[in-house]
Amino acid sequence: MSSFTLTATDGEARAGIVHTTHGDVPTPAFMPVGTKGTVKTVHPDELTAIGTTILLGNAYHLHFRPGDELIAELGGLHRFMGWDGPILTDSGGFQVFSLRDTLLGVDDEGVTFRSVYDGSAARLSALDSARIQANLGSDIAMCLDVCPPANLSHRDLEDAVRRTTVWARGQRDAPRAPGQLRFGIAQGASDPDLRRRSIEEIAELDFDGNALGGLSVGEDRAQMFETLEWAAPLLPAGKPRYFMGIGDPEGILEVIERGIDMFDCVLPTRTARTGSALTWEGRLNLRNARFARDPRPLDENCACPACTRFSRAYLRHLINQQELLGLRLLSLHNLRFLLDLTAGARQAIERGELRSYKAEALARLADTAAAEEAL
Ligand SMILES: [Zn+2]
């Protein structure tokens, strides 16, 4: 059976279903990030309750702590973390390449670097990454790719594209966990020729899905969306399309409109750790004194565990006192906000109304951002 069913389109935007061993994932799908085998502070049952359909795990961190072989011995990542829904694991490449001062060398088999855990020299080849993800037993494994920083020279970027394809070829037929899907990743930054070439080369390898990597690594956002606008439709239409590393409300709507099916970001939980809530009134910084006596929930229309029971004043108190419950409730709310936004977009695509859904959402978010600045 194909791993993807396209159920509706609206312009370039798509609604569909990714079929995995641990269940179906309706798309567009926002994937909460559980880097170290946990979405920070949140219980798996709560993730289900707020509408999570797929989680992201991290090959790099789980390989070093507690070890992918240990996790395999204990029955795989699903059993280990008590989550029996779909899991996508990233390859570890992003961590290796984003922690640049730990990078020692890149060659045609893989990458050498220093572990962030103990500084020891470590090696991650394309085949290592495939083996680690097979051990974790994720539903979707990502190819190891060369994820270069923004503003690389043309020559270095070309080398990254070439190597990404060489690695992808090696991983295509590498051993997998039972039923595991594997996605390829196209690189090439915003360079028209290199991005096209990378997409063609990766698409030709016929992976179960395809990702655009290296587009959310610090380049100008307008340029990123412009690139996405022509690059996304070049990806095979019959397979899921994953945009790596976006998760702010505006960004989610922009990538969905351009034909992306899956995306992930640490933003909702990271924002929670800074004491901020994502709402239809914009981003609320609960440390602000104006919430000290505010009896309202974060969002009148939100059905999350924070909004159905607690006031802004109480949440502010928890955040100011660095109480763990505050962090947990804010994480749940922020995740729910993005999951709801994404689910709403899916429904809008099915009705053929994504354009107005997006315009209305952006207007609400912009209005309140302006109001917030005026305060
Ligand atoms: Zn809420």
Side-chain angles (χ1 to χ4, degrees):
M1 187 174 74
S2 165
S3 60
F4 185 62
T5 309
L6 192 63
T7 55
T9 58
D10 182 5
E12 288 296 332
R14 299 135 55 93
I17 301 163
V18 180
H19 307 284
T20 82
T21 316
H22 288 82
D24 284 352
V25 181
T27 60
F30 173 73
M31 300 186 280
V33 178
T35 305
K36 298 182 178 179
T38 167
V39 175
K40 290 188 193 304
T41 74
V42 182
H43 189 287
D45 289 348
E46 294 173 315
L47 289 171
T48 306
I50 58 171
T52 305
T53 55
I54 179 169
L55 281 187
L56 190 136
N58 187 289
Y60 179 102
H61 292 289
L62 295 171
H63 168 63
F64 285 113
R65 301 283 188 278
D68 51 288
E69 283 171 14
L70 181 148
I71 290 175
E73 200 182 303
L74 292 170
L77 184 57
H78 294 87
R79 185 176 299 172
F80 189 59
M81 66 184 287
W83 166 263
D84 65 3
I87 298 176
L88 178 147
T89 43
D90 67 13
S91 67
F94 181 78
Q95 283 67 36
V96 171
F97 286 99
S98 62
L99 305 165
R100 295 204 77 77
D101 48 341
T102 64
L103 196 59
L104 298 175
V106 189
D107 55 62
D108 281 357
E109 275 81 49
V111 54
T112 312
F113 58 98
R114 293 199 179 283
S115 153
V116 287
Y117 286 97
D118 57 13
S120 63
R123 172 90 182 148
L124 184 69
S125 71
L127 292 178
D128 290 335
S129 176
R131 193 192 63 245
I132 291 167
Q133 295 178 79
N135 278 337
L136 296 174
S138 55
D139 298 275
I140 303 173
M142 298 303 297
C143 277
L144 184 70
D145 62 325
V146 181
C147 187
N151 306 319
L152 209 62
S153 76
H154 187 270
R155 203 180 137 187
D156 287 344
L157 190 60
E158 180 165 23
D159 214 43
V161 164
R162 181 189 66 79
R163 216 160 242 157
T164 291
T165 301
V166 171
W167 291 0
R169 276 197 199 108
Q171 291 165 91
R172 208 184 72 139
D173 300 316
R176 308 177 182 206
Q180 190 174 47
L181 305 175
R182 182 170 287 141
F183 284 14
I185 304 175
Q187 284 289 340
S190 288
D191 183 288
D193 294 335
L194 290 176
R195 178 62 72 175
R196 259 171 227 280
R197 176 180 137 192
S198 190
I199 289 174
E200 271 170 33
E201 290 177 356
I202 297 302
E204 201 177 291
L205 291 171
D206 200 21
F207 288 103
D208 302 297
N210 297 286
L212 292 173
L215 270 180
S216 190
V217 291
E219 80 283 62
D220 178 52
R221 259 169 89 88
Q223 188 189 30
M224 173 174 89
F225 293 133
E226 195 188 299
T227 302
L228 183 61
E229 184 131 11
W230 58 259
L234 299 176
L235 295 167
K239 294 177 178 180
R241 299 165 171 172
Y242 169 21
F243 188 99
M244 308 179 81
I246 202 152
D248 61 292
E250 295 84 358
I252 284 177
L253 295 165
E254 297 292 348
V255 302
I256 290 175
E257 186 182 39
R258 288 164 175 79
I260 293 297
D261 308 306
M262 306 163 74
F263 33 87
D264 71 283
C265 194
V266 295
L267 179 127
T269 40
R270 186 167 288 171
T271 304
R273 292 202 289 282
T274 67
S276 289
L278 305 170
T279 75
W280 284 113
E281 286 177 42
R283 217 174 275 203
L284 304 183
N285 179 357
L286 289 169
R287 295 182 200 282
N288 193 311
R290 71 187 164 108
F291 299 119
R293 292 187 162 72
D294 194 333
R296 293 173 298 166
L298 291 173
D299 189 322
E300 299 282 355
N301 299 314
C302 179
C304 87
C307 294
T308 47
R309 187 147 172 184
F310 304 106
S311 66
R312 293 175 178 185
Y314 179 62
L315 292 168
R316 171 184 149 78
H317 162 70
L318 293 179
I319 293 297
N320 278 343
Q321 295 306 311
Q322 297 177 332
E323 285 292 340
L324 295 180
L325 180 62
L327 185 55
R328 205 156 82 77
L329 290 171
L330 266 191
S331 296
L332 281 164
H333 168 79
N334 286 346
L335 288 166
R336 171 101 200 203
F337 183 78
L338 296 179
L339 290 162
D340 281 356
L341 180 75
T342 306
R346 179 183 157 81
Q347 288 160 12
I349 292 168
E350 285 170 341
R351 295 191 309 267
E353 291 173 1
L354 181 70
R355 187 181 287 260
S356 56
Y357 177 80
K358 181 190 166 208
E360 196 182 312
L362 290 181
R364 280 174 79 185
L365 291 164
D367 254 15
T368 46
E372 182 124 320
E373 255 167 50
L375 279 167

